[in-house]
């Protein structure tokens, strides 16, 4: 493998990619965020995806100067692909990254996109930008490929090198080069997709499938709630069948499951198909925060507690457990709903960055020792710290308080006699 690799975008996806390649090759790591570059140069990763020890033993030239990308002939673009407030794909970061690369690309370079997109985006949206800013012709002077990211933030088992890598290329020859480059570090091996569009589609349906299955669990939880049946007990019983899928109800946020389906539905509608099942699942999952908040109010009333001015301790703000990522977290919607009802909400998160919480949501995260006993204790995100010390954290609810357990991690025997436990 004689390609010089560069990674554009050093976030939750790009940094693990760069570090893994940097263990065996010399890599250029580019990001427009200069403070991020300085932190990485000093051996610190604020996302907690890469340890200080791993950063120390990897050969990466960190830079925010795009001119340094000229030294590379295999450029991986791993920037966010979010949605806007109307749930439409926001390709702005991807287009800007393509502009940056287009301005410095040299002949015979292969540009590989890892960002999640709808089928066709690489060739229809990104290639014209690369051609415009480079003055080169794609397929003649330079080439593109697509290899969808499968990074799972906070997951230390399923990592970049241990997950099978789907790869695709503009031509069979380019595909072979892309496969060779990734095979040099991905121990799980690669899967050669027949086209870039197939690889794009494969990525976008991975999380769409999970989204729809979780939506089913959430709808079942709502039904079982009305029937006064414990959803956890139902799933435990059903799980004894060998082919029952192990999905659970909960909030669906983050940068993948709560976003990717909208990329697919956007493209589906563009070609004249209304994706009913996918959008129905999205509606259910997007409404779960409101459903949970309304049940907080119901449980307060059942306990004979005043709603106006009731106090709430929320444990966890990030979009998932054991991860500091606040992007597209749905916990904030529960908090906003409760505040609209007139409740006083205090939030703690042992993983989240306080500065980011303030910047994104205007929230002042409190340390555990700053929390007082409250009428409601809401276990929003089951970080390991909370689960390992659940009995201590239960003391943050009053003796006749309400316990809201979104992910079903509280054992009923740990609940005090006069407390009320509610969970999905």
């Amino acid at each position: 493998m004689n390609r010089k690799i560069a990674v554009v975008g050093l976030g939750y996806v790009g940094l693990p990619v760069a570090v893994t390649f940097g263990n065996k090759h010399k890599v250029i790591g580019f990001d427009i965020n200069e403070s991020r570059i300085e932190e990485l140069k000093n051996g610190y990763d604020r996302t907690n995806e890469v340890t200080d020890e791993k950063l120390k033993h990897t050969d990466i030239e960190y830079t925010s100067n795009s001119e340094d990308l000229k030294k590379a002939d295999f450029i991986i673009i791993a920037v966010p692909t979010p949605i806007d407030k109307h749930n439409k794909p926001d390709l702005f970061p991807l287009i800007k990254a393509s502009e940056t690369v287009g301005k410095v690309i040299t002949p015979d370079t292969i540009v590989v996109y890892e960002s999640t997109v709808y089928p066709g985006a690489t060739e229809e949206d990104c290639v014209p930008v690369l051609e415009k800013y480079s003055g080169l012709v794609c397929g003649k002077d330079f080439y593109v490929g697509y290899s969808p990211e499968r990074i799972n933030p906070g997951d230390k088992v399923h990592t970049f090198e241990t997950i099978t890598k789907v790869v695709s290329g503009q031509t069979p020859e380019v595909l072979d080069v892309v496969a060779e480059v990734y095979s040099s570090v991905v121990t799980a091996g690669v899967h050669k997709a027949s086209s870039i569009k197939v690889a794009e589609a494969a990525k976008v349906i991975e999380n769409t499938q999970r989204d729809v299955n979780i939506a089913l669990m959430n709808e079942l939880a709502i039904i079982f709630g009305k029937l006064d049946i414990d959803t956890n007990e139902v799933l435990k019983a059903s799980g004894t069948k060998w082919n029952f899928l192990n999905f659970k109800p909960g909030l669906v946020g983050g940068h993948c499951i709560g976003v990717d389906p909208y990329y697919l539905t956007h493209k589906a509608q563009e070609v004249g198909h209304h994706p009913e099942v996918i959008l129905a699942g999205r509606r259910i999952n997007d409404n779960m925060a409101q459903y949970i908040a309304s049940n907080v109010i119901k449980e307060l009333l059942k306990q004979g507690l005043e709603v106006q001015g009731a106090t709430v301790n929320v444990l966890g703000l990030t979009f998932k457990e054991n991860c500091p990522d606040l992007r597209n977290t749905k916990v904030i919607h529960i908090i906003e709903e409760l505040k609209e009802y007139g409740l006083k909400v205090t939030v703690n998160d042992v993983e989240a960055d306080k500065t980011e919480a303030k910047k994104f949501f205007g929230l002042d995260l409190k340390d555990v020792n700053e929390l007082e006993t409250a009428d409601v204790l809401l276990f929003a995100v089951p970080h390991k710290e909370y689960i390992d010390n659940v009995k201590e954290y239960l003391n943050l609810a009053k003796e006749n308080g309400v316990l809201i357990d979104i992910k079903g991690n509280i054992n009923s025997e740990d609940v005090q006699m006069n407390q009320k436990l509610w969970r999905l």
Side-chain angles (χ1 to χ4, degrees):
M1 205 287 291
N2 57 1
R3 288 276 173 169
K4 182 62 183 296
I5 299 165
V7 179
V8 175
L10 300 176
Y12 283 89
V13 171
L15 183 63
V17 171
V19 167
T20 304
F21 275 112
N23 289 332
K24 291 191 176 181
H25 314 288
K26 186 170 179 59
V27 175
I28 297 167
F30 172 84
D31 201 287
I32 59 174
N33 187 332
E34 293 181 7
S35 62
R36 172 71 167 160
I37 292 297
E38 286 306 309
E39 287 179 351
L40 292 172
K41 284 181 177 179
N42 292 322
Y44 169 65
D45 171 31
R46 66 168 53 244
T47 68
N48 294 334
E49 288 301 303
V50 180
T51 63
D52 295 350
E53 191 65 23
K54 284 187 176 181
L55 282 178
K56 192 184 300 182
H57 294 95
T58 189
D59 191 0
I60 302 176
E61 176 190 343
Y62 297 108
T63 181
S64 56
N65 182 359
S66 60
E67 290 294 310
D68 291 326
L69 295 172
K70 289 181 177 179
K71 295 180 282 187
D73 60 2
F74 192 95
I75 300 176
I76 298 170
I77 296 180
V79 296
T81 43
I83 50 177
D84 63 20
K85 63 181 180 180
H86 303 296
N87 293 328
K88 298 295 184 184
D90 178 7
L91 294 181
F92 180 79
L94 196 64
I95 298 303
K96 293 302 290 184
S98 299
E99 286 181 16
T100 299
V101 171
K103 290 174 183 176
V104 296
I105 197 174
T106 55
D108 295 323
T109 294
I110 296 176
V111 180
V112 178
Y113 289 87
E114 288 218 5
S115 306
T116 302
V117 291
Y118 44 73
T122 299
E123 293 155 298
E124 297 164 13
D125 297 289
C126 299
V127 165
V129 177
L130 291 172
E131 290 183 325
K132 175 182 176 181
Y133 285 88
S134 67
L136 303 174
V137 177
C138 186
K140 176 186 174 186
D141 303 317
F142 72 92
Y143 304 90
V144 294
Y146 183 79
S147 182
E149 62 90 1
R150 280 175 166 171
I151 300 294
N152 184 26
D155 191 336
K156 306 305 180 188
V157 177
H158 303 97
T159 60
F160 177 72
E161 61 266 43
T162 64
I163 303 171
T164 300
K165 199 80 170 81
V166 174
V167 294
S168 63
Q170 194 169 7
T171 67
E173 294 75 21
V174 171
L175 173 57
D176 286 341
V177 175
V178 174
E180 180 190 9
V181 171
Y182 280 103
S183 293
S184 70
V185 293
V186 178
T187 57
V190 300
H191 172 86
K192 292 183 177 180
S194 60
S195 69
I196 289 175
K197 280 186 178 181
V198 166
E200 291 168 326
K203 168 57 183 175
V204 82
I205 72 165
E206 288 173 12
N207 286 322
T208 300
Q209 182 189 65
R210 288 185 56 78
D211 191 45
V212 171
N213 276 285
I214 296 170
L216 173 60
M217 295 299 107
N218 279 333
E219 187 161 53
L220 291 175
I222 293 170
I223 294 169
F224 295 150
K226 292 181 179 297
L227 295 172
D228 197 25
I229 301 173
D230 189 316
T231 306
N232 272 13
E233 295 300 321
V234 175
L235 295 179
K236 191 182 298 182
S238 297
T240 59
K241 189 168 188 284
W242 70 91
N243 59 354
F244 185 80
L245 301 179
N246 185 29
F247 287 95
K248 294 183 177 180
L251 297 172
V252 183
H255 191 62
C256 293
I257 302 179
V259 172
D260 295 356
Y262 286 121
Y263 275 74
L264 184 56
T265 57
H266 167 80
K267 194 65 178 180
Q269 290 168 329
E270 197 175 76
V271 295
H273 175 73
H274 181 70
E276 295 184 25
V277 173
I278 299 171
L279 286 175
R282 281 280 74 236
R283 283 193 298 273
I284 290 169
N285 288 341
D286 277 347
N287 287 330
M288 289 309 290
Q290 185 177 10
Y291 172 74
I292 292 167
S294 67
N295 275 279
V296 172
I297 306 306
K298 289 178 183 177
E299 297 305 320
L300 277 170
L301 293 172
K302 288 178 184 178
Q303 286 292 84
L305 299 171
E306 289 285 340
V307 171
Q308 285 291 319
T311 54
V312 184
N313 284 328
V314 175
L315 298 180
L317 179 63
T318 60
F319 91 89
K320 66 177 289 189
E321 59 268 24
N322 307 317
C323 171
D325 196 348
L326 291 169
R327 292 176 301 175
N328 195 31
T329 176
K330 299 303 179 183
V331 179
I332 189 63
H333 297 315
I334 299 177
I335 294 169
E336 290 169 349
E337 284 280 328
L338 294 178
K339 286 182 176 179
E340 284 190 18
Y341 281 118
L343 280 68
K344 297 177 181 178
V345 183
T346 305
V347 186
N348 166 266
D349 193 301
V350 292
E351 296 287 346
D353 182 270
K354 289 184 177 181
T355 305
E356 287 191 355
K358 184 69 173 178
K359 175 184 174 183
F360 295 157
F361 310 119
L363 281 179
D364 291 311
L365 293 184
K366 301 296 183 183
D367 293 330
V368 174
N369 57 15
E370 295 179 280
L371 300 178
E372 299 178 357
T373 56
D375 298 307
V376 179
L377 179 63
L378 197 159
F379 273 79
V381 186
H383 293 311
K384 187 174 185 297
E385 160 67 17
Y386 299 146
I387 301 304
D388 288 350
N389 303 285
V390 66
K391 290 185 179 179
E392 286 81 356
Y393 281 98
L394 287 178
N395 292 325
L396 292 171
K398 293 178 179 177
E399 289 184 1
N400 64 334
V402 174
L403 305 175
I404 303 293
D405 181 19
I406 293 177
K407 297 295 285 286
N409 287 288
I410 298 176
N411 293 321
S412 54
E413 56 264 28
D414 292 331
V415 178
Q416 295 180 32
M417 186 179 299
N418 294 323
Q419 291 178 332
K420 181 65 187 298
L421 174 63
W422 180 93
R423 57 190 178 196
L424 282 176

